[in-house]
Amino acid sequence: MTDHILVEHQGEAERRIQVIRFNRPDKKNAITRAMYAAMAAAIAEGEADPTVRVHVLLGTPGAFTSGNDLQDFMAVAMGAAAGTEVWDFMQALATTAKPVISGVDGIAVGIGATIQLHCDLTFATPATRFHTPFVDLGLVPEFGSSLMVPLAIGHQRAFAMLAAGVPISAGDACAAGLIYQVVEADMLEAAVLAAAEGLAAKPPEALAIARRLIKGDPEERLARIAEETKLFASRLKSAEAMQAFQAFMTRKK
Ligand code: COA
């Protein structure tokens, strides 16, 4: 159990929206193993509950999430068992039958950026920057991004984002087709919930079939996620990664 992930339900009785919210603002919503576990469980419960029609992911003002908790990464680099929580979360999010909408304001680093690839509609504010500094951390792209981003935006922009670690603004991400819409911060949650209510009111079977057709065969994505995860796990134990984690822990603010 963790109170760093809040789960609540909104909307009409048989057309509920399940809202999963990062709630660790003092750490910019950095995701711990317990948080991944809570999110994986919430997604599984939402999928199993016929009254839930849509999943929603939200952060806090100024931060969707700063990605995996670097203390947790450091612990693995130093020999602790990695656990399966992040894997369980990725599997759950990558295979939902129900639509997923997210609302992003500000910081969206690492998995905070790559989560969006598995959402159906992402709304982000003008202040949002999607940043995937995997290589700078001695790591490699994850969560299907090495497959999905080049397909969406071509090799060069994918390389800039995922290998060179160039942050991408919400406006550019939207123009490139990586996210759905840019909305002002004070309208973010209203826009997300209005979209979720709209989807919750649609015939759920038809919506699920349409979504499956649009997303295509999941096998290739899941195979890439498994391959990336294996490489990521070995990179976590590399000297390059250890150096990067230490640099973050000892940085001067
Ligand atoms: N893991 C662990 N702690 C994190 C974190 C992370 N991914 N991101 C932020 N934090 C913590 C900071 O250590 C700090 O804690 P402290 O107040 O106890 O010192 C607190 O959150 C606030 O972060 P801070 O760096 O002061 O905020 P900022 O607005 O100056 O910068 C970021 C925000 C996200 C740009 C910066 O924190 C950062 O680069 N974080 C690491 C992101 C990352 O590499 N994630 C992994 C991707 S694979």
Side-chain angles (χ1 to χ4, degrees), residues 110-187:
I111 202 164
T114 53
I115 278 174
Q116 312 313 323
L117 301 169
H118 299 273
C119 294
D120 299 292
L121 300 171
T122 293
F123 294 83
T125 63
T128 300
R129 295 282 175 281
F130 298 98
H131 187 199
T132 45
F134 297 115
V135 170
D136 293 315
L137 292 168
L139 303 172
V140 291
E142 31 91 275
F143 208 177
S145 57
S146 66
L147 176 72
M148 296 164 80
V149 175
L151 283 177
I153 65 177
H155 170 74
Q156 298 209 359
R157 284 191 290 181
F159 183 87
M161 185 178 169
L162 295 175
V166 178
I168 177 167
S169 69
D172 285 350
C174 191
L178 286 172
I179 65 166
Y180 178 53
Q181 263 183 28
V182 181
V183 294
E184 292 302 325
D186 59 353
M187 295 301 296

Side-chain angles (χ1 to χ4, degrees), residues 62-138:
F64 183 68
T65 167
S66 59
N68 204 102
D69 188 290
L70 288 175
Q71 300 268 13
D72 280 5
F73 272 173
M74 179 76 136
V76 174
M78 294 177 74
T84 63
E85 295 87 350
V86 64
W87 171 256
D88 296 341
F89 165 71
M90 287 194 290
Q91 288 282 307
L93 185 61
T95 58
T96 65
K98 298 175 185 180
V100 186
I101 303 183
S102 80
V104 183
D105 178 38
I107 294 167
V109 183
I111 202 164
T114 53
I115 278 174
Q116 312 313 323
L117 301 169
H118 299 273
C119 294
D120 299 292
L121 300 171
T122 293
F123 294 83
T125 63
T128 300
R129 295 282 175 281
F130 298 98
H131 187 199
T132 45
F134 297 115
V135 170
D136 293 315
L137 292 168

